[in-house]
Amino acid sequence: MFIDQVKIYVRAGDGGDGMVAFRREKFVPNGGPAGGDGGNGGDVVFEVDEGLRTLIDFRYQRRFKAERGEHGMSKSMHGRGADDLIIKVPQGTVVSDVDTGEVIADLVAHGQQAVIAKAGRGGRGNKRFATSANPAPELSENGEPGQERSIQLELKVLADVGLVGFPSVGKSTLLSVVSAARPKIAAYHFTTIVPNLGMVDTCDGRSFVMADLPGLIEGASQGVGLGHQFLRHIERTRVIVHVIDMSASEGRDPYDDYLAINNELEQYNLRLMERPQIIVANKMDIEGADEQLEIFKGKLKEEIPIFPISAVTQTGLNPLLLTIADKLETTAEFPLDELLEKEEEETVLYKYQAEAPDFEITRDPDGTYVLSGEKLERLFAMTNFERDASIQRFSRQLRAMGVDDALRKRGAKDGETIRLFDFEFEFID
């Protein structure tokens, strides 16, 4: 089953909690703090596996969670960090955030990796908080929560050659006779509802990957028919092969078909028109095809190679395949090199991003002041509220962030309720 689009949920591992402990050994007076740090959680990492061709594995498992780090221990022993969760994806997978629409990674090369959800760091044990003013602190941190996000995976097939054309023009038949692929072939429209890939070998020993893409119809770029679901796959092909029913067996004009398909490609992505194109005049074994071909050549203004073939009788195939192989040799490696270079540039160039505020203050209908914000949430999650020293430290952190002053500006009075997630406390001025 071919699956090329799916939504999943991923969560990186939380960091392990730091520990409050003290060294107590015979003949070691005032041993001091000895609580170890928690280990870091595991990242969620996507890795390209060239052996995969579809996202079908994600149809049956849609939630992925990495392990959390081990908690800190006594005797200054740190917790063990968790292993990263490696998830295999096929070449050509685009990963984007469902909530923001931001593209997180475009994975095209075998073995290429991308961290999709970043793990939380381990909390510090009380040994890390010892100072000359407080040599024996009863203070530790909880582990930082791992990043969680809903993401969309979109597969764009990586093929050298893409066969495009109206339904029932013979694309699947052509692929079946030039490769070992066995697509479904039948005498009705949209027999092909998923892309099919095949490895083609030429008579002079060269080879390339050919993709049979589902039939397009007029309006496909706006969502008409089935073809619009697979236009994304054409983006990744280096050479576009138009397969045209030159016999006009279904009453359509071959030249009008050619213009309509090109128009849909242009409407979807203007850059597709920069790709080399080859026209395959199929079904030349049917009566009247020769006359239609002459009319077609008379109307065609561009200098595009035309190859009369019959996929059914397997005539005219060798010149076509050799020309495709020649085109590929003179066409830049797309999109692999281009995408990798683009990704490298983005990691080097500075990209401005507006900084999110540390916290926000809103007010509920009952008059309660509500604090929110990513940084505030992280501090809250890493605070051990079972110990007074940790609560006092959290209070100092809020004051240093300017929360107290901001509440006063919003009109908070002494004794009013402040809510921070599930925790409520009174404002003391």
Side-chain angles (χ1 to χ4, degrees):
M1 185 179 294
F2 186 87
I3 304 293
D4 67 345
Q5 202 167 25
V6 69
K7 292 180 181 178
I8 65 172
Y9 167 85
V10 296
R11 176 175 178 135
D14 299 340
D17 298 341
M19 187 176 190
V20 173
F22 295 91
R23 186 180 180 193
R24 294 183 177 88
E25 293 183 33
K26 193 175 182 180
F27 308 121
V28 183
N30 303 321
D37 299 345
N40 295 332
D43 293 329
V44 176
V45 180
F46 280 12
E47 182 179 54
V48 177
D49 184 347
E50 64 183 1
L52 299 177
R53 286 288 178 267
T54 174
L55 299 173
I56 191 170
D57 292 343
F58 297 99
R59 178 170 182 170
Y60 305 106
Q61 183 179 357
R62 295 186 182 240
R63 298 179 68 86
F64 297 86
K65 184 178 179 182
E67 296 293 326
R68 76 171 299 157
E70 196 174 36
H71 297 319
M73 293 166 282
S74 57
K75 298 184 180 178
S76 302
M77 291 189 292
H78 298 333
R80 181 180 63 84
D83 294 330
D84 293 340
L85 176 61
I86 307 293
I87 301 174
K88 303 287 188 179
V89 296
Q91 286 180 290
T93 301
V94 179
V95 187
S96 55
D97 190 288
V98 170
D99 299 322
T100 64
E102 174 194 5
V103 175
I104 303 167
D106 196 346
L107 304 169
V108 294
H110 177 63
Q112 184 183 356
Q113 291 188 337
V115 177
I116 305 303
K118 193 164 179 57
R121 64 177 177 83
R124 292 175 289 180
N126 68 330
K127 182 178 180 180
R128 298 282 294 274
F129 292 98
T131 63
S132 57
N134 184 12
E138 294 189 10
L139 176 64
S140 67
E141 285 180 333
N142 292 337
E144 182 182 17
Q147 186 180 16
E148 57 181 318
R149 64 202 316 179
S150 295
I151 61 173
Q152 176 167 294
L153 305 182
E154 185 180 24
L155 177 61
K156 296 184 178 181
V157 168
L158 285 176
D160 299 309
V161 181
L163 302 179
V164 299
F166 272 75
S168 298
V169 295
K171 299 185 300 297
S172 298
T173 305
L174 174 59
L175 180 67
S176 69
V177 297
V178 299
S179 74
R182 290 294 172 264
K184 183 179 179 181
I185 301 171
Y188 57 85
H189 287 190
F190 299 113
T191 308
T192 303
I193 58 174
V194 298
N196 293 296
L197 294 178
M199 179 64 74
V200 180
D201 293 315
T202 62
C203 59
D204 60 355
R206 292 178 289 178
S207 63
F208 53 85
V209 178
M210 179 180 284
D212 162 28
L213 302 172
L216 302 177
I217 62 175
E218 220 165 338
S221 57
Q222 279 76 46
V224 179
L226 291 176
H228 76 285
Q229 301 175 29
F230 304 103
L231 274 166
R232 71 176 75 96
H233 299 302
I234 302 173
E235 293 181 53
R236 297 294 172 89
T237 58
R238 293 162 56 197
V239 174
I240 296 175
V241 175
H242 285 264
V243 182
I244 298 173
D245 177 4
M246 200 54 69
S247 69
S249 57
E250 297 200 357
R252 294 192 311 266
D253 181 71
Y255 186 69
D256 290 343
D257 283 3
Y258 169 75
L259 293 181
I261 295 299
N262 258 352
N263 181 59
E264 295 308 319
L265 297 180
E266 186 176 359
Q267 292 295 322
Y268 181 74
N269 187 342
L270 187 60
R271 292 199 63 186
L272 290 176
M273 304 312 295
E274 300 172 6
R275 311 288 164 78
Q277 294 189 5
I278 293 174
I279 295 174
V280 172
N282 194 21
K283 303 189 182 182
M284 294 301 296
D285 55 311
I286 298 177
E287 187 178 352
D290 292 327
E291 291 79 3
Q292 289 289 347
L293 179 57
E294 291 305 316
I295 296 172
F296 183 89
K297 288 180 177 178
K299 292 180 180 178
L300 188 67
K301 298 175 183 177
E302 303 94 337
E303 291 186 7
I304 299 176
I306 302 175
F307 291 87
I309 71 160
S310 171
V312 172
T313 62
Q314 301 185 23
T315 56
L317 298 180
N318 277 338
L320 169 64
L321 299 182
L322 291 172
T323 301
I324 292 175
D326 292 340
K327 283 282 186 186
L328 290 172
E329 288 181 357
T330 58
T331 304
E333 288 285 340
F334 181 88
L336 194 55
D337 292 349
E338 185 175 312
L339 290 173
L340 290 174
E341 286 172 12
K342 181 181 177 184
E343 185 174 302
E344 202 172 301
E345 287 174 8
E346 287 180 350
T347 58
V348 174
L349 295 176
Y350 174 76
K351 186 178 6 176
Y352 172 76
Q353 290 181 338
E355 291 187 7
D358 291 341
F359 62 90
E360 292 181 359
I361 301 175
T362 56
R363 198 164 188 185
D364 280 355
D366 62 359
T368 303
Y369 289 90
V370 180
L371 300 176
S372 61
E374 186 178 343
K375 185 174 181 180
L376 206 58
E377 183 177 359
R378 187 166 61 250
L379 288 176
F380 179 80
M382 296 183 70
T383 299
N384 182 359
F385 287 97
E386 295 179 359
R387 295 187 174 273
D388 290 341
S390 295
I391 295 174
Q392 291 170 9
R393 177 172 178 263
F394 182 67
S395 179
R396 292 194 300 271
Q397 287 174 318
L398 293 186
R399 193 174 298 115
M401 288 172 63
V403 173
D404 288 11
D405 292 338
L407 284 169
R408 290 190 187 97
K409 288 180 181 178
R410 288 295 299 265
K413 306 296 183 188
D414 194 50
E416 289 193 296
T417 303
I418 311 297
R419 183 183 298 125
L420 178 56
F421 307 108
D422 297 329
F423 185 71
E424 290 189 353
F425 56 92
E426 288 185 358
F427 181 68
I428 301 175
D429 200 354

